Amino acid sequence: MIPKAYDNGDNNSIESTAGKIKRMVLSKEGRTKFNILPDSEFYAYPKFVTHVDDRFISNLTNLYRKCLRPEFEILDLMSSWVSHLPQEVKYKRVVGHGLNAQELAKNPRLDYFFVKDLNKDQKLEFENCSFDAVLCTVSVQYLQQPEKVFAEVFRVLKPGGVFIVSFSNRLFYEKAINAWRDSTGYGRVQLVVQYFQCVEGFTQSEVIRRLPSGADLENKSPLSSIMQLIGLLSASSDPFYAVVAYRNFKPV
């Protein structure tokens, strides 16, 4: 039986089975989206596309080589048809989550997958301390209840388990939350850091940045920047951001 994940009382101090949401990071306005239709409708048809460039993928795969070991059980949260895990490594178990079953079924790294809209229901149907690592790749910008999702990630992580959140500057503009759309690269990093900080028990976050050269940024026209932002144009080099933290062995 899965333990109760949340107390529906005071939103400023929400209990979870493995920690506490100390504060809510986002305002009501910050959680809103341009497209208010359910995300399940937006993702009803598969999108077999690569949302970031080769350099981003290389940076991410190298980070996974550093942080993940073959004996790990991994939850790939908000996944798709590719997970960007190192091809040469076979992990004990990789469980995928997403909104489109066709995409997830095409992902060769997944041993199992499930479909769930985390903006409707944040509870993860796993026992406490089920995974050594949780991944969230170029998708954190769509979470409307990130505090509760991060608390659930904390719950399903084993003590010492790692949560790796990676992102660039691309997004489906109409489905990203207002707080993300209106921010900068630096501001988005700080937003994810705050998501970790608001859950009692995560270690201090490590921030990793791999940015394009100044020339790359200066040579982009305003139109190309806008097209890249909404995912219509590939960047010559996508910025790479990752925020990494661990579930502490002992309560903080």
Side-chain angles (χ1 to χ4, degrees):
M1 181 177 179
I2 294 176
K4 183 178 179 182
Y6 300 110
D7 178 356
N8 292 324
D10 181 5
N11 276 344
N12 293 319
S13 180
I14 302 176
E15 297 289 342
S16 81
T17 56
K20 179 189 293 184
I21 298 177
K22 297 180 288 186
R23 63 184 179 86
M24 305 305 283
V25 175
L26 299 177
S27 65
K28 182 177 180 180
E29 180 182 357
R31 301 177 199 274
T32 60
K33 300 184 178 188
F34 278 142
N35 184 339
I36 62 174
L37 294 175
D39 287 349
S40 57
E41 293 186 19
F42 183 80
Y43 294 99
Y45 297 97
K47 298 176 175 65
F48 296 113
V49 297
T50 302
H51 298 286
V52 283
D53 66 9
D54 290 343
R55 185 180 297 182
F56 181 102
I57 294 170
S58 177
N59 281 319
L60 181 60
T61 302
N62 285 333
L63 179 60
Y64 289 161
R65 284 193 182 97
K66 174 183 175 183
C67 295
L68 308 178
R69 299 198 296 272
E71 64 270 22
F72 274 14
E73 295 185 81
I74 298 169
L75 173 59
D76 190 3
L77 207 60
M78 305 176 78
S79 186
S80 181
W81 64 288
V82 61
S83 292
H84 308 305
L85 293 164
Q87 292 184 2
E88 73 276 7
V89 183
K90 171 64 177 175
Y91 298 98
K92 182 177 179 180
R93 179 173 67 135
V94 181
V95 176
H97 154 266
L99 276 172
N100 187 279
Q102 290 175 269
E103 290 184 18
L104 295 168
K106 286 281 189 180
N107 189 328
R109 302 308 302 269
L110 304 182
D111 299 298
Y112 165 81
F113 69 81
F114 65 101
V115 175
K116 187 182 188 72
D117 185 350
L118 291 178
N119 287 330
K120 295 292 185 184
D121 180 7
Q122 293 79 48
K123 184 179 289 187
L124 299 172
E125 303 297 330
F126 299 100
E127 295 182 357
N128 296 350
C129 307
S130 293
F131 295 98
D132 301 282
V134 178
L135 318 175
C136 182
T137 305
V138 296
S139 297
V140 68
Q141 60 266 31
Y142 306 119
L143 289 175
Q144 291 180 286
Q145 299 292 334
E147 304 95 339
K148 292 182 178 181
V149 172
F150 275 56
E152 272 292 271
V153 168
F154 184 94
R155 180 182 69 78
V156 302
L157 274 174
K158 299 175 184 178
V162 63
F163 186 19
I164 302 173
V165 180
S166 59
F167 52 94
S168 189
N169 59 354
R170 296 205 223 179
L171 63 155
F172 293 119
Y173 194 74
E174 70 271 33
K175 297 304 291 185
I177 62 169
N178 188 45
W180 193 275
R181 292 194 317 265
D182 292 346
S183 193
T184 62
Y186 175 82
R188 291 165 179 169
V189 167
Q190 294 309 305
L191 198 60
V192 177
V193 169
Q194 288 184 68
Y195 294 165
F196 278 108
Q197 290 175 339
C198 81
V199 178
E200 188 173 281
F202 276 115
T203 62
Q204 183 175 346
S205 302
E206 176 188 2
V207 175
I208 301 163
R209 295 180 177 88
R210 301 285 185 270
L211 304 180
S213 67
D216 287 340
L217 296 174
E218 292 171 359
N219 290 336
K220 290 177 182 173
S221 69
L223 177 60
S224 67
S225 297
I226 293 171
M227 291 177 70
Q228 179 191 336
L229 183 68
I230 62 177
L232 296 178
L233 183 67
S234 296
S236 58
S237 182
D238 292 336
F240 174 82
Y241 303 100
V243 184
V244 181
Y246 296 80
R247 173 172 169 165
N248 241 322
F249 285 96
K250 295 182 179 180
V252 177

